[in-house]
mmCIF file with all atom_site columns, all heavy atoms in Angstrom:
data_model
loop_
_atom_site.group_PDB
_atom_site.id
_atom_site.type_symbol
_atom_site.label_atom_id
_atom_site.label_alt_id
_atom_site.label_comp_id
_atom_site.label_asym_id
_atom_site.label_entity_id
_atom_site.label_seq_id
_atom_site.pdbx_PDB_ins_code
_atom_site.Cartn_x
_atom_site.Cartn_y
_atom_site.Cartn_z
_atom_site.occupancy
_atom_site.B_iso_or_equiv
_atom_site.pdbx_formal_charge
_atom_site.auth_seq_id
_atom_site.auth_comp_id
_atom_site.auth_asym_id
_atom_site.auth_atom_id
_atom_site.pdbx_PDB_model_num
ATOM 1  N N   . GLU W 1 138 ? -22.515 -4.412  -8.303  1.00 97.00 ? 138 GLU W N   1
ATOM 2  C CA  . GLU W 1 138 ? -21.508 -4.456  -9.366  1.00 97.00 ? 138 GLU W CA  1
ATOM 3  C C   . GLU W 1 138 ? -22.102 -4.259  -10.762 1.00 97.00 ? 138 GLU W C   1
ATOM 4  O O   . GLU W 1 138 ? -23.087 -4.881  -11.127 1.00 97.00 ? 138 GLU W O   1
ATOM 5  C CB  . GLU W 1 138 ? -20.768 -5.797  -9.314  1.00 97.00 ? 138 GLU W CB  1
ATOM 6  C CG  . GLU W 1 138 ? -19.611 -5.860  -10.287 1.00 97.00 ? 138 GLU W CG  1
ATOM 7  C CD  . GLU W 1 138 ? -18.602 -6.928  -9.895  1.00 97.00 ? 138 GLU W CD  1
ATOM 8  O OE1 . GLU W 1 138 ? -17.804 -6.666  -8.983  1.00 97.00 ? 138 GLU W OE1 1
ATOM 9  O OE2 . GLU W 1 138 ? -18.635 -8.005  -10.473 1.00 97.00 ? 138 GLU W OE2 1
ATOM 10 N N   . VAL W 1 139 ? -21.441 -3.402  -11.543 1.00 96.00 ? 139 VAL W N   1
ATOM 11 C CA  . VAL W 1 139 ? -21.796 -3.205  -12.948 1.00 96.00 ? 139 VAL W CA  1
ATOM 12 C C   . VAL W 1 139 ? -21.184 -4.326  -13.777 1.00 96.00 ? 139 VAL W C   1
ATOM 13 O O   . VAL W 1 139 ? -21.840 -4.940  -14.615 1.00 96.00 ? 139 VAL W O   1
ATOM 14 C CB  . VAL W 1 139 ? -21.280 -1.828  -13.427 1.00 96.00 ? 139 VAL W CB  1
ATOM 15 C CG1 . VAL W 1 139 ? -21.491 -1.654  -14.923 1.00 96.00 ? 139 VAL W CG1 1
ATOM 16 C CG2 . VAL W 1 139 ? -21.966 -0.713  -12.646 1.00 96.00 ? 139 VAL W CG2 1
ATOM 17 N N   . ALA W 1 140 ? -19.901 -4.587  -13.546 1.00 97.00 ? 140 ALA W N   1
ATOM 18 C CA  . ALA W 1 140 ? -19.199 -5.689  -14.216 1.00 97.00 ? 140 ALA W CA  1
ATOM 19 C C   . ALA W 1 140 ? -17.954 -6.005  -13.403 1.00 97.00 ? 140 ALA W C   1
ATOM 20 O O   . ALA W 1 140 ? -17.443 -5.151  -12.672 1.00 97.00 ? 140 ALA W O   1
ATOM 21 C CB  . ALA W 1 140 ? -18.810 -5.287  -15.639 1.00 97.00 ? 140 ALA W CB  1
ATOM 22 N N   . ASP W 1 141 ? -17.469 -7.226  -13.547 1.00 97.00 ? 141 ASP W N   1
ATOM 23 C CA  . ASP W 1 141 ? -16.281 -7.661  -12.811 1.00 97.00 ? 141 ASP W CA  1
ATOM 24 C C   . ASP W 1 141 ? -15.048 -6.955  -13.385 1.00 97.00 ? 141 ASP W C   1
ATOM 25 O O   . ASP W 1 141 ? -14.730 -7.129  -14.570 1.00 97.00 ? 141 ASP W O   1
ATOM 26 C CB  . ASP W 1 141 ? -16.148 -9.190  -12.953 1.00 97.00 ? 141 ASP W CB  1
ATOM 27 C CG  . ASP W 1 141 ? -15.051 -9.760  -12.053 1.00 97.00 ? 141 ASP W CG  1
ATOM 28 O OD1 . ASP W 1 141 ? -14.177 -8.994  -11.610 1.00 97.00 ? 141 ASP W OD1 1
ATOM 29 O OD2 . ASP W 1 141 ? -15.080 -10.985 -11.807 1.00 97.00 ? 141 ASP W OD2 1
ATOM 30 N N   . PRO W 1 142 ? -14.351 -6.175  -12.584 1.00 98.00 ? 142 PRO W N   1
ATOM 31 C CA  . PRO W 1 142 ? -13.187 -5.449  -13.120 1.00 98.00 ? 142 PRO W CA  1
ATOM 32 C C   . PRO W 1 142 ? -11.942 -6.318  -13.297 1.00 98.00 ? 142 PRO W C   1
ATOM 33 O O   . PRO W 1 142 ? -10.982 -5.895  -13.946 1.00 98.00 ? 142 PRO W O   1
ATOM 34 C CB  . PRO W 1 142 ? -12.930 -4.378  -12.051 1.00 98.00 ? 142 PRO W CB  1
ATOM 35 C CG  . PRO W 1 142 ? -13.463 -4.950  -10.786 1.00 98.00 ? 142 PRO W CG  1
ATOM 36 C CD  . PRO W 1 142 ? -14.635 -5.823  -11.174 1.00 98.00 ? 142 PRO W CD  1
ATOM 37 N N   . ARG W 1 143 ? -11.923 -7.535  -12.737 1.00 98.00 ? 143 ARG W N   1
ATOM 38 C CA  . ARG W 1 143 ? -10.671 -8.299  -12.716 1.00 98.00 ? 143 ARG W CA  1
ATOM 39 C C   . ARG W 1 143 ? -10.175 -8.717  -14.104 1.00 98.00 ? 143 ARG W C   1
ATOM 40 O O   . ARG W 1 143 ? -8.961  -8.667  -14.352 1.00 98.00 ? 143 ARG W O   1
ATOM 41 C CB  . ARG W 1 143 ? -10.808 -9.506  -11.790 1.00 98.00 ? 143 ARG W CB  1
ATOM 42 C CG  . ARG W 1 143 ? -10.884 -9.108  -10.315 1.00 98.00 ? 143 ARG W CG  1
ATOM 43 C CD  . ARG W 1 143 ? -11.238 -10.286 -9.455  1.00 98.00 ? 143 ARG W CD  1
ATOM 44 N NE  . ARG W 1 143 ? -12.504 -10.877 -9.894  1.00 98.00 ? 143 ARG W NE  1
ATOM 45 C CZ  . ARG W 1 143 ? -12.893 -12.113 -9.604  1.00 98.00 ? 143 ARG W CZ  1
ATOM 46 N NH1 . ARG W 1 143 ? -12.105 -12.896 -8.898  1.00 98.00 ? 143 ARG W NH1 1
ATOM 47 N NH2 . ARG W 1 143 ? -14.055 -12.564 -10.024 1.00 98.00 ? 143 ARG W NH2 1
ATOM 48 N N   . PRO W 1 144 ? -11.037 -9.136  -15.028 1.00 98.00 ? 144 PRO W N   1
ATOM 49 C CA  . PRO W 1 144 ? -10.487 -9.468  -16.353 1.00 98.00 ? 144 PRO W CA  1
ATOM 50 C C   . PRO W 1 144 ? -9.781  -8.275  -17.006 1.00 98.00 ? 144 PRO W C   1
ATOM 51 O O   . PRO W 1 144 ? -8.720  -8.433  -17.627 1.00 98.00 ? 144 PRO W O   1
ATOM 52 C CB  . PRO W 1 144 ? -11.728 -9.888  -17.156 1.00 98.00 ? 144 PRO W CB  1
ATOM 53 C CG  . PRO W 1 144 ? -12.694 -10.376 -16.118 1.00 98.00 ? 144 PRO W CG  1
ATOM 54 C CD  . PRO W 1 144 ? -12.461 -9.498  -14.929 1.00 98.00 ? 144 PRO W CD  1
ATOM 55 N N   . TYR W 1 145 ? -10.342 -7.075  -16.836 1.00 98.00 ? 145 TYR W N   1
ATOM 56 C CA  . TYR W 1 145 ? -9.696  -5.883  -17.394 1.00 98.00 ? 145 TYR W CA  1
ATOM 57 C C   . TYR W 1 145 ? -8.377  -5.608  -16.673 1.00 98.00 ? 145 TYR W C   1
ATOM 58 O O   . TYR W 1 145 ? -7.388  -5.203  -17.277 1.00 98.00 ? 145 TYR W O   1
ATOM 59 C CB  . TYR W 1 145 ? -10.635 -4.678  -17.293 1.00 98.00 ? 145 TYR W CB  1
ATOM 60 C CG  . TYR W 1 145 ? -11.943 -4.905  -17.991 1.00 98.00 ? 145 TYR W CG  1
ATOM 61 C CD1 . TYR W 1 145 ? -13.097 -5.197  -17.273 1.00 98.00 ? 145 TYR W CD1 1
ATOM 62 C CD2 . TYR W 1 145 ? -12.020 -4.858  -19.381 1.00 98.00 ? 145 TYR W CD2 1
ATOM 63 C CE1 . TYR W 1 145 ? -14.305 -5.427  -17.912 1.00 98.00 ? 145 TYR W CE1 1
ATOM 64 C CE2 . TYR W 1 145 ? -13.220 -5.085  -20.036 1.00 98.00 ? 145 TYR W CE2 1
ATOM 65 C CZ  . TYR W 1 145 ? -14.364 -5.371  -19.296 1.00 98.00 ? 145 TYR W CZ  1
ATOM 66 O OH  . TYR W 1 145 ? -15.545 -5.602  -19.938 1.00 98.00 ? 145 TYR W OH  1
ATOM 67 N N   . ALA W 1 146 ? -8.388  -5.830  -15.345 1.00 98.00 ? 146 ALA W N   1
ATOM 68 C CA  . ALA W 1 146 ? -7.163  -5.600  -14.573 1.00 98.00 ? 146 ALA W CA  1
ATOM 69 C C   . ALA W 1 146 ? -6.062  -6.571  -15.014 1.00 98.00 ? 146 ALA W C   1
ATOM 70 O O   . ALA W 1 146 ? -4.898  -6.190  -15.145 1.00 98.00 ? 146 ALA W O   1
ATOM 71 C CB  . ALA W 1 146 ? -7.443  -5.756  -13.082 1.00 98.00 ? 146 ALA W CB  1
ATOM 72 N N   . GLU W 1 147 ? -6.424  -7.817  -15.252 1.00 97.00 ? 147 GLU W N   1
ATOM 73 C CA  . GLU W 1 147 ? -5.439  -8.793  -15.710 1.00 97.00 ? 147 GLU W CA  1
ATOM 74 C C   . GLU W 1 147 ? -4.947  -8.433  -17.121 1.00 97.00 ? 147 GLU W C   1
ATOM 75 O O   . GLU W 1 147 ? -3.749  -8.533  -17.413 1.00 97.00 ? 147 GLU W O   1
ATOM 76 C CB  . GLU W 1 147 ? -6.040  -10.204 -15.689 1.00 97.00 ? 147 GLU W CB  1
ATOM 77 C CG  . GLU W 1 147 ? -5.149  -11.296 -16.283 1.00 97.00 ? 147 GLU W CG  1
ATOM 78 C CD  . GLU W 1 147 ? -3.794  -11.457 -15.585 1.00 97.00 ? 147 GLU W CD  1
ATOM 79 O OE1 . GLU W 1 147 ? -3.682  -11.142 -14.372 1.00 97.00 ? 147 GLU W OE1 1
ATOM 80 O OE2 . GLU W 1 147 ? -2.832  -11.885 -16.264 1.00 97.00 ? 147 GLU W OE2 1
ATOM 81 N N   . LEU W 1 148 ? -5.860  -7.986  -17.963 1.00 98.00 ? 148 LEU W N   1
ATOM 82 C CA  . LEU W 1 148 ? -5.454  -7.543  -19.309 1.00 98.00 ? 148 LEU W CA  1
ATOM 83 C C   . LEU W 1 148 ? -4.440  -6.403  -19.191 1.00 98.00 ? 148 LEU W C   1
ATOM 84 O O   . LEU W 1 148 ? -3.416  -6.395  -19.892 1.00 98.00 ? 148 LEU W O   1
ATOM 85 C CB  . LEU W 1 148 ? -6.687  -7.087  -20.108 1.00 98.00 ? 148 LEU W CB  1
ATOM 86 C CG  . LEU W 1 148 ? -6.427  -6.657  -21.559 1.00 98.00 ? 148 LEU W CG  1
ATOM 87 C CD1 . LEU W 1 148 ? -6.058  -7.860  -22.425 1.00 98.00 ? 148 LEU W CD1 1
ATOM 88 C CD2 . LEU W 1 148 ? -7.648  -5.947  -22.145 1.00 98.00 ? 148 LEU W CD2 1
ATOM 89 N N   . MET W 1 149 ? -4.704  -5.472  -18.286 1.00 98.00 ? 149 MET W N   1
ATOM 90 C CA  . MET W 1 149 ? -3.780  -4.345  -18.100 1.00 98.00 ? 149 MET W CA  1
ATOM 91 C C   . MET W 1 149 ? -2.450  -4.813  -17.521 1.00 98.00 ? 149 MET W C   1
ATOM 92 O O   . MET W 1 149 ? -1.396  -4.276  -17.850 1.00 98.00 ? 149 MET W O   1
ATOM 93 C CB  . MET W 1 149 ? -4.413  -3.286  -17.192 1.00 98.00 ? 149 MET W CB  1
ATOM 94 C CG  . MET W 1 149 ? -5.530  -2.510  -17.873 1.00 98.00 ? 149 MET W CG  1
ATOM 95 S SD  . MET W 1 149 ? -6.097  -1.116  -16.869 1.00 98.00 ? 149 MET W SD  1
ATOM 96 C CE  . MET W 1 149 ? -7.268  -1.905  -15.771 1.00 98.00 ? 149 MET W CE  1
#
Side-chain angles (χ1 to χ4, degrees):
Chain W
E138 186 159 281
V139 174
D141 188 341
R143 290 171 303 160
Y145 302 103
E147 174 59 27
L148 183 70
M149 288 188 276

